[in-house]
Coordinates of all heavy atoms in Angstrom, one line a residue:
M1400 N -8.4 1.9 -4.1 CA -7.4 2.9 -4.7 C -6.8 2.1 -5.8 O -6.4 1.0 -5.8 CB -6.4 3.3 -3.6 CG -5.7 4.5 -4.0 SD -4.5 5.1 -2.7 CE -5.5 5.3 -1.4
Q1401 N -6.5 2.9 -6.8 CA -5.9 2.3 -8.0 C -4.4 2.3 -7.9 O -3.7 3.0 -7.2 CB -6.3 3.1 -9.2 CG -7.8 3.1 -9.4 CD -8.2 4.0 -10.5 OE1 -7.4 4.7 -11.2 NE2 -9.5 3.9 -10.9
G1402 N -3.8 1.3 -8.8 CA -2.4 1.2 -8.8 C -1.6 2.4 -9.1 O -0.5 2.7 -8.6
W1403 N -2.0 3.2 -10.0 CA -1.3 4.4 -10.4 C -1.2 5.4 -9.3 O -0.3 6.2 -9.3 CB -1.9 5.1 -11.7 CG -3.3 5.6 -11.4 CD1 -4.5 5.0 -11.6 CD2 -3.6 7.0 -10.9 NE1 -5.5 5.9 -11.2 CE2 -5.1 7.0 -10.9 CE3 -2.9 8.1 -10.7 CZ2 -5.7 8.2 -10.5 CZ3 -3.6 9.2 -10.2 CH2 -4.9 9.3 -10.2
L1404 N -2.2 5.5 -8.4 CA -2.1 6.3 -7.3 C -1.1 5.9 -6.3 O -0.4 6.8 -5.7 CB -3.5 6.4 -6.6 CG -3.8 7.5 -5.6 CD1 -3.6 8.8 -6.4 CD2 -5.3 7.5 -5.2
Y1405 N -0.9 4.6 -6.1 CA 0.2 4.2 -5.3 C 1.6 4.6 -5.9 O 2.5 4.9 -5.2 CB 0.2 2.7 -5.1 CG -0.8 2.1 -4.2 CD1 -1.8 1.2 -4.7 CD2 -0.9 2.5 -2.9 CE1 -2.8 0.8 -3.8 CE2 -1.9 2.1 -2.0 CZ -2.9 1.2 -2.5 OH -3.9 0.8 -1.8
G1406 N 1.6 4.5 -7.2 CA 2.8 4.9 -7.9 C 3.1 6.3 -7.7 O 4.2 6.8 -7.5
L1407 N 2.1 7.2 -7.8 CA 2.3 8.7 -7.5 C 2.7 8.9 -6.1 O 3.6 9.7 -5.9 CB 0.9 9.3 -7.8 CG 0.9 10.8 -7.6 CD1 1.8 11.6 -8.5 CD2 -0.6 11.4 -7.7
Y1408 N 2.2 8.3 -5.1 CA 2.6 8.4 -3.8 C 4.0 8.0 -3.6 O 4.9 8.7 -3.0 CB 1.8 7.6 -2.8 CG 0.4 8.0 -2.6 CD1 -0.6 7.2 -2.2 CD2 0.0 9.4 -2.7 CE1 -1.9 7.6 -2.0 CE2 -1.2 9.9 -2.5 CZ -2.2 9.0 -2.2 OH -3.5 9.4 -2.0
A1409 N 4.5 6.9 -4.2 CA 5.8 6.5 -4.2 C 6.8 7.5 -4.9 O 7.9 7.7 -4.3 CB 6.0 5.1 -4.9
L1410 N 6.3 8.0 -6.0 CA 7.2 9.0 -6.6 C 7.3 10.2 -5.8 O 8.5 10.8 -5.7 CB 6.6 9.4 -8.0 CG 7.3 10.4 -8.8 CD1 8.6 9.8 -9.3 CD2 6.4 10.9 -10.0
I1411 N 6.3 10.7 -5.1 CA 6.4 11.9 -4.3 C 7.4 11.6 -3.1 O 8.2 12.5 -2.8 CB 5.0 12.4 -3.9 CG1 4.1 12.9 -4.9 CG2 5.1 13.4 -2.7 CD1 2.7 13.1 -4.6
I1412 N 7.2 10.5 -2.5 CA 8.1 10.1 -1.4 C 9.5 10.0 -1.9 O 10.4 10.3 -1.1 CB 7.5 8.8 -0.6 CG1 6.2 9.1 0.0 CG2 8.6 8.4 0.4 CD1 5.5 7.9 0.6
A1413 N 9.7 9.4 -3.1 CA 11.1 9.2 -3.6 C 11.7 10.6 -3.8 O 12.9 10.8 -3.4 CB 11.0 8.5 -4.9
I1414 N 11.0 11.5 -4.3 CA 11.6 12.8 -4.5 C 12.0 13.5 -3.3 O 13.0 14.1 -3.1 CB 10.6 13.8 -5.4 CG1 10.4 13.2 -6.8 CG2 11.0 15.1 -5.4 CD1 9.3 13.8 -7.6
I1415 N 11.0 13.4 -2.3 CA 11.4 14.0 -1.0 C 12.6 13.4 -0.4 O 13.4 14.0 0.2 CB 10.1 14.0 -0.1 CG1 9.0 14.8 -0.6 CG2 10.5 14.3 1.3 CD1 7.7 14.7 0.1
S1416 N 12.6 12.0 -0.5 CA 13.8 11.3 0.2 C 15.1 11.6 -0.6 O 16.1 11.6 0.1 CB 13.5 9.8 0.1 OG 13.7 9.2 -1.2
I1417 N 15.1 11.9 -1.9 CA 16.4 12.3 -2.5 C 16.8 13.6 -2.0 O 18.0 13.8 -1.8 CB 16.1 12.2 -4.1 CG1 16.0 10.8 -4.5 CG2 17.3 12.9 -4.8 CD1 15.5 10.7 -6.0
F1418 N 15.9 14.5 -1.8 CA 16.3 15.9 -1.3 C 16.8 15.8 0.1 O 17.7 16.6 0.4 CB 15.2 16.9 -1.5 CG 15.0 17.3 -2.9 CD1 13.7 17.2 -3.5 CD2 16.0 18.0 -3.6 CE1 13.6 17.6 -4.8 CE2 15.8 18.3 -4.9 CZ 14.6 18.1 -5.6
T1419 N 16.2 14.9 0.9 CA 16.6 15.0 2.3 C 17.7 13.9 2.6 O 18.3 13.9 3.7 CB 15.4 14.6 3.2 OG1 14.8 13.4 2.8 CG2 14.3 15.6 3.1
G1420 N 18.0 13.1 1.6 CA 19.0 12.0 1.9 C 18.6 10.8 2.6 O 19.4 10.1 3.1
E1421 N 17.3 10.6 2.7 CA 16.8 9.5 3.5 C 16.3 8.3 2.6 O 15.1 8.0 2.5 CB 15.5 10.0 4.3 CG 15.9 11.0 5.4 CD 16.7 10.4 6.5 OE1 16.6 9.1 6.7 OE2 17.5 11.1 7.1
V1422 N 17.2 7.8 1.8 CA 16.9 6.8 0.8 C 16.4 5.5 1.6 O 15.6 4.8 1.1 CB 18.0 6.5 -0.1 CG1 17.7 5.4 -1.1 CG2 18.3 7.8 -0.9
V1423 N 17.2 5.2 2.7 CA 16.8 3.9 3.4 C 15.3 4.0 4.0 O 14.7 3.1 4.0 CB 17.8 3.8 4.5 CG1 17.4 2.6 5.5 CG2 19.2 3.6 4.0
T1424 N 15.0 5.3 4.4 CA 13.6 5.5 4.9 C 12.7 5.2 3.8 O 11.6 4.6 4.0 CB 13.4 6.9 5.5 OG1 14.5 7.1 6.5 CG2 12.1 7.1 6.0
F1425 N 13.0 5.7 2.6 CA 12.1 5.4 1.4 C 11.9 3.9 1.2 O 10.8 3.5 1.0 CB 12.6 6.1 0.2 CG 11.9 5.8 -1.0 CD1 10.6 6.2 -1.3 CD2 12.5 5.0 -2.0 CE1 10.0 5.9 -2.4 CE2 11.9 4.7 -3.2 CZ 10.6 5.1 -3.4
I1426 N 13.0 3.2 1.3 CA 12.9 1.8 1.0 C 12.0 1.1 2.1 O 11.1 0.2 1.8 CB 14.3 1.2 1.0 CG1 15.0 1.7 -0.3 CG2 14.2 -0.4 1.0 CD1 16.5 1.3 -0.3
M1427 N 12.2 1.5 3.3 CA 11.5 0.9 4.4 C 10.0 1.3 4.3 O 9.1 0.4 4.6 CB 12.0 1.4 5.8 CG 13.4 0.9 6.1 SD 13.5 -0.9 6.0 CE 12.5 -1.4 7.4
L1428 N 9.7 2.5 4.0 CA 8.3 2.9 3.8 C 7.7 2.1 2.7 O 6.5 1.7 2.8 CB 8.2 4.4 3.5 CG 8.3 5.3 4.7 CD1 8.3 6.7 4.2 CD2 7.2 5.1 5.7
G1429 N 8.4 1.8 1.6 CA 7.9 1.1 0.6 C 7.5 -0.4 1.0 O 6.5 -1.0 0.6
L1430 N 8.4 -1.0 1.8 CA 8.2 -2.3 2.3 C 6.9 -2.4 3.3 O 6.2 -3.2 3.1 CB 9.4 -2.8 3.0 CG 10.6 -3.1 2.2 CD1 11.8 -3.6 3.1 CD2 10.4 -4.2 1.1
I1431 N 6.9 -1.3 4.0 CA 5.7 -1.2 4.8 C 4.4 -1.1 4.2 O 3.4 -1.8 4.4 CB 5.9 -0.2 5.9 CG1 7.0 -0.4 6.9 CG2 4.6 0.2 6.7 CD1 7.4 0.7 7.8
L1432 N 4.4 -0.2 3.1 CA 3.2 -0.1 2.3 C 2.9 -1.3 1.5 O 1.6 -1.6 1.4 CB 3.4 1.1 1.3 CG 3.5 2.5 1.9 CD1 3.7 3.5 0.9 CD2 2.1 2.8 2.5
I1433 N 3.8 -2.1 1.0 CA 3.5 -3.3 0.3 C 2.9 -4.3 1.3 O 1.9 -4.9 1.0 CB 4.8 -3.8 -0.3 CG1 5.2 -3.0 -1.5 CG2 4.6 -5.3 -0.8 CD1 6.6 -3.3 -2.0
S1434 N 3.4 -4.4 2.5 CA 2.9 -5.4 3.6 C 1.5 -4.9 3.9 O 0.6 -5.8 4.0 CB 3.8 -5.3 4.8 OG 5.0 -5.7 4.5
L1435 N 1.2 -3.7 4.1 CA -0.1 -3.2 4.4 C -1.1 -3.5 3.3 O -2.3 -3.9 3.6 CB -0.1 -1.7 4.8 CG 0.5 -1.4 6.1 CD1 0.5 0.1 6.3 CD2 -0.3 -2.0 7.3
Q1436 N -0.6 -3.3 2.1 CA -1.6 -3.6 0.9 C -1.9 -5.1 0.8 O -3.0 -5.5 0.6 CB -0.8 -3.1 -0.3 CG -1.7 -3.3 -1.6 CD -1.1 -2.6 -2.8 OE1 0.1 -2.4 -2.8 NE2 -1.8 -2.4 -3.8
N1437 N -0.9 -6.0 1.2 CA -1.1 -7.4 1.2 C -2.1 -7.8 2.3 O -3.0 -8.7 2.1 CB 0.2 -8.2 1.3 CG 1.0 -8.1 0.1 OD1 0.5 -7.9 -1.0 ND2 2.3 -8.3 0.2
I1438 N -1.9 -7.2 3.4 CA -2.9 -7.5 4.6 C -4.2 -7.0 4.2 O -5.2 -7.7 4.5 CB -2.3 -6.8 5.9 CG1 -1.0 -7.4 6.4 CG2 -3.4 -6.7 7.0 CD1 -0.3 -6.6 7.5
H1439 N -4.4 -5.9 3.6 CA -5.7 -5.4 3.2 C -6.4 -6.3 2.2 O -7.5 -6.6 2.4 CB -5.6 -3.9 2.6 CG -6.8 -3.4 2.2 ND1 -7.3 -3.3 1.0 CD2 -7.7 -2.7 3.0 CE1 -8.4 -2.7 1.0 NE2 -8.8 -2.3 2.2
A1440 N -5.6 -6.7 1.3 CA -6.2 -7.6 0.2 C -6.6 -9.0 0.9 O -7.7 -9.5 0.5 CB -5.1 -7.9 -0.9
T1441 N -5.8 -9.5 1.8 CA -6.2 -10.7 2.5 C -7.5 -10.5 3.3 O -8.3 -11.4 3.3 CB -5.0 -11.1 3.4 OG1 -3.9 -11.4 2.6 CG2 -5.4 -12.5 4.1
L1442 N -7.6 -9.4 4.0 CA -8.7 -9.2 4.9 C -10.0 -9.0 4.0 O -11.2 -9.5 4.3 CB -8.5 -7.9 5.7 CG -7.6 -8.1 6.9 CD1 -7.4 -6.7 7.5 CD2 -8.0 -9.2 7.9
K1443 N -9.9 -8.4 2.8 CA -11.0 -8.3 1.9 C -11.4 -9.7 1.3 O -12.6 -9.9 1.2 CB -10.6 -7.4 0.7 CG -10.7 -6.0 1.0 CD -10.2 -5.0 -0.1 CE -11.2 -5.1 -1.2 NZ -10.8 -4.1 -2.3
A1444 N -10.5 -10.6 1.1 CA -10.8 -11.9 0.7 C -11.5 -12.6 1.8 O -12.5 -13.4 1.6 CB -9.5 -12.6 0.2
I1445 N -11.1 -12.5 3.1 CA -11.8 -13.2 4.1 C -13.1 -12.7 4.3 O -14.0 -13.4 4.6 CB -10.9 -13.0 5.4 CG1 -9.6 -13.7 5.3 CG2 -11.6 -13.5 6.7 CD1 -8.6 -13.5 6.5
L1446 N -13.4 -11.4 4.2 CA -14.6 -10.8 4.3 C -15.5 -11.3 3.3 O -16.7 -11.7 3.6 CB -14.6 -9.2 4.3 CG -15.9 -8.5 4.3 CD1 -16.5 -8.7 5.7 CD2 -15.6 -7.1 4.1
K1447 N -15.0 -11.5 2.1 CA -15.9 -12.0 1.0 C -16.3 -13.5 1.2 O -17.5 -13.8 1.0 CB -15.1 -11.9 -0.4 CG -15.8 -12.3 -1.6 CD -15.0 -12.2 -2.9 CE -15.8 -12.7 -4.1 NZ -15.0 -12.7 -5.3
V1448 N -15.4 -14.2 1.7 CA -15.7 -15.6 2.0 C -16.7 -15.7 3.2 O -17.7 -16.4 3.1 CB -14.5 -16.4 2.4 CG1 -14.8 -17.7 3.0 CG2 -13.5 -16.5 1.2
N1449 N -16.6 -14.9 4.2 CA -17.6 -14.9 5.3 C -18.9 -14.4 4.8 O -19.9 -14.9 5.3 CB -17.0 -14.0 6.4 CG -15.9 -14.7 7.2 OD1 -15.8 -15.9 7.2 ND2 -15.1 -13.8 7.9
K1450 N -19.0 -13.5 3.9 CA -20.3 -13.0 3.4 C -21.0 -14.0 2.6 O -22.2 -14.2 2.7 CB -20.2 -11.7 2.6 CG -20.0 -10.4 3.4 CD -20.0 -9.3 2.5 CE -19.9 -8.0 3.3 NZ -19.9 -6.8 2.5
E1451 N -20.2 -14.8 1.9 CA -20.7 -15.9 1.0 C -21.3 -17.0 2.0 O -22.3 -17.7 1.6 CB -19.8 -16.5 0.1 CG -19.4 -15.5 -1.0 CD -18.3 -16.0 -1.9 OE1 -17.6 -17.1 -1.6 OE2 -18.0 -15.3 -2.9
K1452 N -20.6 -17.2 3.1 CA -21.1 -18.3 4.0 C -22.4 -17.9 4.6 O -23.2 -18.8 4.9 CB -20.0 -18.6 5.1 CG -18.9 -19.4 4.7 CD -17.9 -19.6 5.9 CE -16.7 -20.3 5.3 NZ -15.8 -20.6 6.5
I1453 N -22.7 -16.6 4.9 CA -23.8 -16.2 5.5 C -25.0 -16.3 4.6 O -26.1 -16.6 5.0 CB -23.7 -14.7 6.0 CG1 -22.7 -14.7 7.2 CG2 -25.1 -14.1 6.4 CD1 -22.3 -13.3 7.6
D1454 N -24.8 -16.0 3.3 CA -25.9 -16.0 2.3 C -26.2 -17.4 1.9 O -26.3 -18.4 2.2 CB -25.5 -15.3 1.0 CG -25.3 -13.8 1.3 OD1 -25.9 -13.3 2.3 OD2 -24.6 -13.2 0.5

């Protein structure tokens, strides 16, 4: 997924959070999404290294 798509998701969640008054929830969701993205990138790097070891 591209970076602009993450920005679009963040914008949509931000607009919803402003209308509902849940700004703290927006911040927490942002932190969770950043953490998950970092975990995903790490797992992809590990997979790449493991595939190179097999070949």
Side-chain angles (χ1 to χ4, degrees):
M1400 194 177 306
Q1401 298 175 354
W1403 66 270
L1404 198 51
Y1405 287 122
L1407 179 64
Y1408 289 153
L1410 181 66
I1411 292 170
I1412 293 172
I1414 291 170
I1415 292 171
S1416 71
I1417 289 170
F1418 284 123
T1419 61
E1421 296 289 335
V1422 177
V1423 174
T1424 303
F1425 171 69
I1426 294 170
M1427 294 304 294
L1428 282 174
L1430 293 174
I1431 291 169
L1432 288 174
I1433 290 170
S1434 299
L1435 288 174
Q1436 189 175 14
N1437 289 336
I1438 291 169
H1439 183 261
T1441 303
L1442 289 174
K1443 283 176 68 174
I1445 291 171
L1446 179 64
K1447 183 179 178 182
V1448 169
N1449 285 340
K1450 280 186 177 182
E1451 289 174 357
K1452 283 183 181 180
I1453 292 173
D1454 292 338

